[in-house]
Amino acid sequence: MDVRTVPELLRRAAERHPKPDAFCIKREGRWIQLPLDHILRRSALVMRALRERGIKRGDRVVILGESSIEWVIADVAILSIGAVTVPIYPTLPASQIAPLIVDSGSRGAFASTAELKAKLEQAGVAASGLEWAWCWQDDPFPEPGEEAYAGGDAAPEDLASIIYTSGTTGVPKGVMLTHANIVAQALLSLKAMSVRDDDVYLSFLPLSHVFERCSGLYTMIDAGATITYAESIDRMAANLQECRPTIMLAVPRFYEKFYARVMEVSAAAGFPTAPLFAWARRVAIAWATRKDERHSVGLGLAFQHALANALVYRKLGARLGGRLRLRVSGGAALNREVALFFYGVGQPIHEGYGLSETTSAISVNRFGDQRIGTVGTPFDEIEVKIAEDGEILVKGPVVMKGYWNRPEETAQALEGGWFHTGDIGAIDPDGHIRITDRKKDIIVTSGGKKVPPQMIENALKESPRIHEVLVLGEGRKYIAALIVPEGSATREEIAPDVERVNAGLANFEKIRRFEVIPNDLSVANGTLTPSLKLKRQAVADKHRDLIQRLFAES
């Protein structure tokens, strides 16, 4: 069967993988298994209801809700009509939701709860052009009857989704993804990474994020893996033990918090656990470093590693459910120390790279071809090259159609037939891509020196005492930084970390001054994007006076 649209992909998956546990959800304290056919037949009934509300091919419909099986049903129903899904993060305040509804011209909206429906109303349902809002908590989707899923009116080049970028700077842009984009992402991902129909995937990232929706939903459906929805991030530890997944897709912060928690618990355990773990951690990082650099481990280190595995590493694997065979990280750069630790304890993380504009991933570290600090090699059919100024350019079937209602920005982003990612990077002789910074974030000092801030920020965030960093210096004589501490870490405790990083930097890159700021970063106050990335300008604006003092003449 030639698959070109999402409905075609779903129909093929239902035929290939008629398993009873395509999805697992928790209801009233117990896990329930659902076949894909159940989801498709329920979506057929929601499709009928949408048509009765006047939704037709090309119309835009919002989904505002936490990840759930209902979110999936709503998305499938919208796409199967040939309409366009507009996912919106449920964590956004009403003031940020309204512009997205207006810009997309959405006719209707799904909301998961009464509170989110109220948020839609607060955003100005009538004023924004929304004709209706369907809250599936108050008005549940119909249970499946005899009605079969026919799939759709969609064509490959039809618009499937408008996904608004996180907007670390400026106003979010609506990325237009077609059915062909989403299908290509699923097919190419599966060529790059082995996913089987006996795999269990624990989903906890928001479906409003392109990474989870394309890589964690449609790719998993096509592979026939079981998709299990975590109850919440707070219940992740328990859900890992209950579901015992074999696959996990996560953002770096998840792995970094797991690492920090393991460090904290072991340190608090006292003798003999604390020194035993400290030794095992050193062994893991030393062993992983040797392996990553393609050097011989040596008998002594190999023996220590085997002993540490028996005493410590197996217990860490058990905390992740005990069956994980594929761990993927995407969405931001993974801390190098964390990556080495996970590799060393037998839980290697496959770091990948992609953007909303590329329908999720375009590259990943493969089994047997890991390079820590890189985002792997490109998928089949994806071309990647480095422009003269170092920008990463991408061409292939996953590249977006353009930006919604923004022809000039579309032409600029797709100039010359290549998508200009805005990321600065390089490709090593073996084809692995290394990301060094965002083009727009490169700092040019008053002396004309170019400084990549993310390189410095990531090095600083390797410290367990540092939560977040904003490196500054555009048009200034020197580099400075605002540092958000981890926990109760003080300036005095952080100062040696700054000196450690400075020791490896060129003179013009060194941090001459820094200040510690409170950890009041949040989506609600506009300092974090919905995907929890730092909004650089928002943080700088909030601490304008402090920044002025940092750069005041001595």
Side-chain angles (χ1 to χ4, degrees):
M1 180 180 178
D2 185 23
V3 174
R4 303 167 303 158
T5 66
V6 174
E8 289 172 354
L9 181 145
L10 294 168
R11 287 201 305 271
R12 185 179 75 170
E15 294 170 5
R16 283 183 171 181
H17 312 293
K19 55 196 287 185
D21 59 344
F23 292 88
C24 282
I25 59 173
K26 202 167 192 181
R27 290 289 187 269
E28 298 178 352
R30 66 188 187 94
W31 291 97
I32 299 171
Q33 297 180 348
L34 299 171
L36 179 56
D37 182 63
H38 172 97
I39 307 305
L40 298 183
R41 285 188 291 126
R42 282 187 81 183
S43 70
L45 296 174
V46 176
M47 284 170 62
R48 182 199 295 172
L50 289 177
R51 286 194 173 106
E52 289 171 354
R53 292 172 186 239
I55 299 300
K56 60 186 183 304
R57 184 174 177 177
D59 286 342
R60 277 79 64 201
V61 179
V62 164
I63 304 181
L64 179 71
E66 299 81 8
S67 297
S68 65
I69 204 69
E70 288 83 5
W71 205 108
V72 176
I73 291 167
D75 189 37
V76 170
I78 294 166
L79 299 185
S80 298
I81 287 177
V84 182
T85 299
V86 182
I88 295 180
Y89 285 93
T91 51
L92 285 179
S95 61
Q96 293 182 38
I97 291 172
L100 307 186
I101 296 173
V102 172
D103 185 67
S104 64
S106 294
R107 291 187 59 193
F110 288 99
S112 60
T113 64
E115 290 77 14
L116 288 176
K117 185 179 180 182
K119 191 184 281 191
L120 281 171
E121 291 166 352
Q122 185 184 350
V125 172
S128 64
L130 280 184
E131 298 167 16
W132 51 268
W134 184 343
C135 171
W136 65 66
Q137 180 187 60
D138 295 339
D139 185 8
F141 296 155
E143 288 298 320
E146 296 303 317
E147 185 162 348
Y149 174 77
D153 298 331
E157 295 308 316
D158 280 354
L159 196 55
S161 199
I162 299 174
I163 297 179
Y164 284 91
T165 59
S166 296
T168 54
T169 60
V171 179
K173 298 187 288 287
V175 175
M176 297 191 290
L177 301 180
T178 65
H179 281 260
N181 288 149
I182 294 174
V183 169
Q185 176 62 226
L187 300 181
L188 296 179
S189 294
L190 292 179
K191 279 188 177 181
M193 301 299 286
S194 170
V195 181
R196 307 185 302 251
D197 60 6
D198 61 346
D199 275 316
V200 176
Y201 167 59
L202 181 61
S203 171
F204 69 96
L205 296 178
L207 278 162
S208 42
H209 194 292
V210 69
F211 182 33
E212 181 60 33
R213 180 150 163 251
C214 292
S215 299
L217 176 61
Y218 290 114
T219 298
M220 296 298 167
I221 287 175
D222 192 49
T226 296
I227 301 173
T228 302
Y229 284 105
E231 296 173 87
S232 67
I233 192 67
D234 296 333
R235 290 282 298 161
M236 269 294 289
N239 291 166
L240 280 165
Q241 300 304 315
E242 294 166 345
C243 305
R244 302 186 64 231
T246 60
I247 297 177
M248 176 176 288
L249 307 185
V251 291
R253 194 67 189 140
F254 171 82
Y255 299 110
E256 290 161 6
K257 289 183 79 170
F258 180 89
Y259 175 63
R261 179 62 178 160
V262 167
M263 296 267 286
E264 179 186 356
V265 170
S266 62
F271 184 85
T273 301
L276 175 64
F277 179 81
W279 163 77
R281 173 186 163 276
R282 289 194 301 272
V283 169
I285 291 175
W287 182 90
T289 301
R290 299 292 294 175
K291 284 284 190 180
D292 185 57
E293 293 173 351
R294 307 301 195 262
H295 293 151
S296 171
V297 171
L299 288 176
L301 183 55
F303 173 76
Q304 290 188 70
H305 188 260
L307 182 61
N309 183 55
L311 297 175
V312 178
Y313 304 157
R314 288 179 185 172
K315 296 176 184 177
L316 293 177
R319 291 186 63 175
L320 291 167
R323 292 199 306 174
L324 275 181
R325 68 173 193 85
L326 173 59
R327 294 146 296 273
V328 178
S329 177
L334 179 65
N335 179 289
R336 180 173 176 79
E337 181 179 305
V338 172
L340 287 169
F341 173 79
F342 270 84
Y343 184 20
V345 303
Q347 302 288 324
I349 299 169
H350 297 258
E351 194 169 1
Y353 168 66
L355 306 93
S356 298
E357 290 90 340
T358 61
T359 325
S360 191
I362 60 110
S363 70
V364 72
N365 278 283
R366 324 288 177 95
F367 285 109
D369 190 24
Q370 285 274 92
R371 283 290 170 87
I372 290 174
T374 79
V375 292
T377 53
F379 292 170
D380 288 357
E381 301 180 38
I382 303 293
E383 296 179 68
V384 178
K385 71 176 183 179
I386 308 298
E388 289 184 6
D389 62 358
E391 184 175 9
I392 297 171
L393 309 183
V394 178
K395 183 185 289 187
V398 297
V399 172
M400 66 171 180
K401 191 173 186 175
Y403 293 117
W404 178 256
N405 288 338
R406 297 192 184 207
E408 291 182 6
E409 291 182 54
T410 296
Q412 185 178 9
L414 300 177
E415 183 182 357
W418 292 82
F419 169 58
H420 293 61
T421 65
D423 289 314
I424 299 295
I427 302 174
D428 71 19
D430 296 323
H432 291 76
I433 304 168
R434 188 179 300 273
I435 313 293
T436 56
D437 224 297
R438 286 293 288 170
K439 184 176 178 179
K440 63 191 174 191
D441 294 338
I442 295 292
I443 293 169
V444 182
T445 66
S446 60
K449 297 291 188 181
K450 292 184 178 180
V451 179
Q454 288 188 19
M455 176 193 71
I456 302 170
E457 291 162 357
N458 290 336
L460 284 167
K461 286 191 287 186
E462 290 182 8
S463 164
R465 290 164 291 279
I466 296 176
H467 176 71
E468 191 56 87
V469 185
L470 179 63
V471 167
L472 307 154
E474 179 67 28
R476 307 284 191 169
K477 293 181 179 179
Y478 54 84
I479 299 299
L482 297 179
I483 297 177
V484 178
E486 190 69 64
S488 58
T490 64
R491 191 183 191 288
E492 289 69 28
E493 291 169 332
I494 288 170
D497 294 318
V498 175
E499 289 307 309
R500 170 183 58 81
V501 171
N502 275 344
L505 298 176
N507 195 51
F508 64 87
E509 295 172 330
K510 294 182 189 294
I511 296 172
R512 303 298 179 185
R513 294 181 180 179
F514 76 92
E515 287 292 345
V516 171
I517 60 174
N519 187 1
D520 57 357
L521 307 175
S522 72
V523 176
N525 68 17
T527 52
L528 292 179
T529 71
S531 55
L532 304 183
K533 295 176 186 174
L534 196 70
K535 284 192 172 182
R536 308 178 72 87
Q537 192 57 52
V539 174
D541 289 345
K542 186 173 184 179
H543 298 282
R544 185 179 290 109
D545 293 342
L546 181 57
I547 292 170
Q548 288 296 333
R549 292 198 295 274
L550 276 173
F551 289 106
E553 293 295 328
S554 301

